Amino acid sequence: MVGTFEDAQLDIRYVQINTRAETATGHSVGDVELLDDNRVRIEDEWEWESKDGTGESILEEVSQ
């Protein structure tokens, strides 16, 4: 995974490998937000470049 962070936005390229030793590459852009309780939330749009597929993810820090 490698990318940039500018103006509260992540722009990441990544490579993953599955259990059959096949690689897949992708691209992700996400908006990073600091919540009122100081937790971090990322709303992310991603796409596979080497396979068909797009999607959206929400990543939110949890408190212990």
Side-chain angles (χ1 to χ4, degrees):
M1 185 180 298
V2 64
T4 59
F5 180 68
E6 185 175 336
D7 297 326
Q9 189 172 68
L10 293 171
D11 188 340
I12 299 170
R13 306 258 178 214
Y14 51 88
V15 177
Q16 297 179 340
I17 190 166
N18 65 20
T19 57
R20 295 183 302 258
E22 301 166 328
T23 59
T25 60
H27 178 230
S28 172
V29 176
D31 294 316
V32 179
E33 176 185 3
L34 183 62
L35 301 175
D36 290 338
D37 60 1
N38 290 321
R39 293 179 303 120
V40 175
R41 176 184 173 100
I42 301 170
E43 293 188 22
D44 183 52
E45 294 181 16
W46 53 266
E47 65 180 335
W48 288 109
E49 295 173 343
S50 56
K51 295 182 173 189
D52 291 331
T54 61
E56 297 179 7
S57 300
I58 296 176
L59 308 159
E60 191 168 306
E61 183 178 358
V62 295
S63 300
Q64 291 187 336

